[in-house]
Amino acid sequence: MKKILKKILKALTSRVVIVAVLLFVQLGWISMALLRLVSYSVPISIFFLFLSMLAVAYIINGKSNPSVKLAWIVPILVFPLFGGLLYLAVGGKRPKRKMRRALEKAGQLTEPYVPHNEALREQIGREHPHLAGQLFYLEKQGYPVYDHTQAEYFPLGDLNFPVILEELKKAEHYIFLEYFIVQEGTMWNSMLEILKQKAAAGVDVRFIYDDVGSLFKLPGGYYRAMEKAGIRCICFNPFVPFWSMIMNNRDHRKILVIDGHTAFTGGINLADEYININSPYGHWKDSGLILRGEAVWSLTLMFLHMWNAFRPTDAELESFRPSVWHPQEFAGDGYVLPYADTPLDEETMAENVYMNLINGATKYVYIFTPYLITDHEMTTSLCLAAKRGVDVRIITPGIPDKKTVYQLTRSHYPELLDNGVRIFEYTPGFVHAKCVVCDDCIATVGTVNFDYRSLYLHFECGTLHYKNQVVSQVKEDFLDTLEKCREITEYQKENISLRRQLYYAVLRLFAPLM
């Protein structure tokens, strides 16, 4: 026994000695490298300074928003040695070249299937000339307006969820899901059980989830578990530690398509707080939408575009049209226009949709948003609308999900209040809805927050509504929600401390990078 212990101790001692020697060699090597680098410190500093100057020149001459430019130029000038290198590593808003090429190639597949409803657009234009411009703009971007579609608005995820389960059970041919956040729990597990049953029965079930949105909410390699269950799955833009520091270009969309003729969208993700089973931030106020009819086609194309970019599957798309599995004529209720935004181009389409609505309003504009982090152009539109007598009201959360972002939202209050915009905070909890309604005739419901990430960096979607019941439903929801809000008063605005004002100033400077 003693001999065995001696051998073990001898082996351990030899290993410790080896490790110590290797560490000593490693430290010696690092020390020598640093000493050698000191002699080259001047040329290295000049190189990095030159790199930062090039980055600043590139930013100034770029097409990005001035606020985004300023947010990058300041840290580069403050830290000239490494600011330019940081911008090269994580700056810019465009997706990686590989992602961009894949999406552009998939776009060539979907483009021939985009309908052109010019006659319908012109008909609406005779009733509402300003809206005609909005429709013309969106049609040029590949998103036409539809009739023969029924839409219903849900003011809470709690009300939306049972309808989702009901419609999933009716699926006979295919189910497409594309979501930013998915988390195991009552909501997702209930849906997943139906999806597994449908996949086993031969239904084509496809699922896209964003890796960063679902980080720490799903087990690692979750897509493999889905594949084993018969659900074809894509983990969008996988998170790579350290390299994915900025986490740009996320898939923030929420799309569920069933058999081509029924679809869900809105602000609701697939996690329990969205249906108020969990309440980490008080009561969760969200919005959902169901579409039945021709307009579902645009949401189907959005999904197939994303799917075929990263997992080429479909040579043609005719079999996914709304009428294939619903040969009867669809009932209609006004007009619906689903649209999507992408960081692939320099077109800030989602922001333009919002600003066109605000600029064209004559009576009122009511807005739900979880974050109010607006650039100069959006702030100007809101202020000018209020100055010309439009009743502009905005509901934001009373309980934040991110404290710094909440303070950043509040930093925008004073300027808006000074110009007549009214702001309300939802006292029971967190507002996650993203809706705009104006003048009793137009509304938009979707995934687009009033912040830089939604407006510039993420893949988003929304639906524009004209003369259908969603318009009145969103207005009614807004007015009902106002009763549960506190209005931000002039007294609160004027009593912001100097320290708080300085904090707000710094936050707003770097807002585009948050």
Side-chain angles (χ1 to χ4, degrees):
M1 187 68 178
K2 288 182 179 179
K3 289 182 178 179
I4 294 172
L5 288 172
K6 284 182 178 179
K7 286 183 179 180
I8 293 172
L9 286 171
K10 187 177 180 181
L12 288 173
T13 303
S14 63
R15 288 183 183 181
V16 169
V17 170
I18 291 169
V19 170
V21 169
L22 289 175
L23 284 173
F24 180 77
V25 170
Q26 184 68 43
L27 289 171
W29 180 264
I30 292 171
S31 300
M32 286 176 63
L34 288 173
L35 288 171
R36 292 287 299 273
L37 279 174
V38 168
S39 62
Y40 296 105
S41 61
V42 173
I44 289 173
S45 297
I46 292 172
F47 171 76
F48 280 120
L49 185 61
F50 179 70
L51 190 65
S52 293
M53 290 171 64
L54 286 179
V56 169
Y58 177 79
I59 293 167
I60 290 172
N61 287 283
K63 296 180 180 179
S64 61
N65 185 279
S67 300
V68 178
K69 291 181 180 181
L70 188 62
W72 272 111
I73 289 172
V74 169
I76 290 174
L77 294 179
V78 172
F79 305 104
L81 291 184
F82 299 105
L85 196 63
L86 179 66
Y87 180 78
L88 290 176
V90 299
K93 91 176 190 73
R94 301 198 75 189
K96 293 177 291 187
R97 184 177 299 177
K98 183 179 178 181
M99 180 193 294
R100 195 162 64 243
R101 286 177 176 172
L103 287 162
E104 287 170 353
K105 185 177 179 181
Q108 295 170 5
L109 172 66
T110 56
E111 188 175 355
Y113 295 92
V114 176
H116 296 281
N117 299 336
E118 293 181 18
L120 192 59
R121 172 171 54 80
E122 291 173 0
Q123 176 187 328
I124 296 171
R126 288 190 287 270
E127 302 173 8
H128 198 300
H130 180 79
L131 180 59
Q134 177 86 294
L135 301 182
F136 180 80
Y137 168 71
L138 288 169
E139 191 172 276
K140 288 293 183 183
Q141 306 302 319
Y143 302 104
V145 64
Y146 298 85
D147 53 4
H148 298 106
T149 303
Q150 289 185 315
E152 182 181 357
Y153 173 81
F154 299 97
L156 289 172
D158 320 29
L159 303 175
N160 196 172
F161 179 50
V163 183
I164 289 175
L165 295 180
E166 181 184 338
E167 293 297 329
L168 283 174
K169 291 174 184 177
K170 297 178 185 177
E172 297 180 352
H173 307 285
Y174 63 87
I175 301 170
F176 298 156
L177 304 97
E178 181 178 348
Y179 282 87
F180 178 59
I181 292 175
V182 182
Q183 184 173 21
E184 292 181 323
T186 301
M187 184 180 192
W188 173 236
N189 293 347
S190 301
M191 293 175 63
L192 184 57
E193 187 63 32
I194 299 172
L195 296 176
K196 289 178 178 179
Q197 293 171 7
K198 292 297 180 179
V203 175
D204 180 8
V205 183
R206 307 186 197 181
F207 174 37
I208 303 173
Y209 68 93
D210 187 89
D211 198 32
V212 167
S214 302
L215 200 64
F216 307 122
K217 301 181 188 323
L218 293 176
Y222 192 69
Y223 61 92
R224 287 191 285 268
M226 295 294 97
E227 294 285 345
K228 288 180 181 178
I231 298 169
R232 292 192 282 178
C233 187
I234 292 175
C235 175
F236 180 81
N237 198 4
F239 175 75
V240 180
F242 304 111
W243 186 251
S244 298
M245 287 183 295
I246 202 69
M247 298 183 293
N248 280 346
N249 310 132
R250 308 318 313 179
D251 186 355
H252 196 244
R253 296 173 185 171
K254 291 89 178 168
I255 297 173
L256 168 56
V257 177
I258 301 169
D259 290 346
H261 53 71
T262 302
F264 293 87
T265 188
I268 300 166
N269 283 298
L270 307 182
D272 284 353
E273 63 261 33
Y274 293 87
I275 55 175
N276 284 296
I277 290 178
N278 294 335
S279 301
Y281 312 108
H283 185 262
W284 194 280
K285 172 76 183 77
D286 217 323
S287 60
L289 195 71
I290 182 172
L291 302 179
R292 294 184 174 93
E294 295 292 343
V296 174
W297 180 233
S298 281
L299 290 169
T300 304
L301 288 179
M302 290 176 206
F303 177 89
L304 290 171
H305 181 193
M306 189 69 78
W307 180 271
N308 284 294
F310 304 102
R311 190 168 172 173
T313 304
D314 309 291
E316 59 82 29
L317 308 180
E318 285 293 335
S319 59
F320 301 106
R321 286 190 180 275
S323 57
V324 171
W325 305 112
H326 192 288
Q328 307 89 347
E329 184 176 352
F330 292 106
D333 174 26
Y335 306 93
V336 182
L337 192 159
Y339 59 92
D341 198 5
T342 167
L344 285 174
D345 52 34
E346 300 296 336
E347 191 71 32
T348 56
M349 197 174 70
E351 183 178 38
N352 292 339
V353 169
Y354 281 159
M355 288 201 296
N356 283 340
L357 291 178
I358 294 165
N359 294 338
T362 59
K363 298 176 183 177
Y364 71 85
V365 176
Y366 297 158
I367 298 169
F368 283 116
T369 181
Y371 315 115
L372 186 60
I373 307 170
T374 54
D375 59 15
H376 176 73
E377 290 82 354
M378 179 66 77
T379 301
T380 300
S381 288
L382 291 166
C383 292
L384 284 177
K387 284 180 177 180
R388 66 174 186 266
V390 177
D391 180 12
V392 182
R393 306 187 196 187
I394 304 172
I395 292 180
T396 62
I399 299 176
D401 66 334
K402 304 176 185 69
K403 291 184 179 180
T404 301
V405 177
Y406 179 62
Q407 293 302 326
L408 184 53
T409 288
R410 285 188 148 195
S411 75
H412 287 76
Y413 288 179
E415 183 177 0
L416 295 170
L417 292 170
D418 280 341
N419 289 279
V421 176
R422 299 177 68 187
I423 300 172
F424 302 80
E425 292 184 341
Y426 181 64
T427 53
F430 186 71
V431 170
H432 193 255
K434 310 99 166 39
C435 309
V436 179
V437 60
C438 60
D439 295 350
D440 289 344
C441 64
I442 309 171
T444 182
V445 179
T447 68
V448 188
N449 300 320
F450 278 69
D451 67 5
Y452 285 91
R453 290 203 162 272
S454 273
L455 299 175
Y456 291 95
L457 297 174
H458 290 168
F459 294 86
E460 303 279 359
C461 65
T463 55
L464 193 67
H465 301 263
Y466 173 60
K467 295 182 72 173
N468 65 22
Q469 66 171 352
V470 170
V471 177
S472 59
Q473 288 172 340
V474 175
K475 181 185 179 182
E476 182 181 358
D477 181 31
F478 187 93
L479 294 176
D480 289 344
T481 306
L482 272 183
E483 298 177 4
K484 305 178 185 71
C485 295
R486 58 172 175 264
E487 184 168 7
I488 304 301
T489 64
E490 288 292 314
Y491 173 80
Q492 289 169 306
K493 182 204 72 174
E494 291 171 358
N495 282 271
I496 299 174
S497 67
L498 179 60
R499 181 181 176 185
R500 178 68 62 178
Q501 290 178 41
L502 291 172
Y503 178 53
Y504 283 170
V506 173
L507 283 179
R508 291 187 65 170
L509 178 61
F510 294 103
L513 307 183
M514 293 186 179

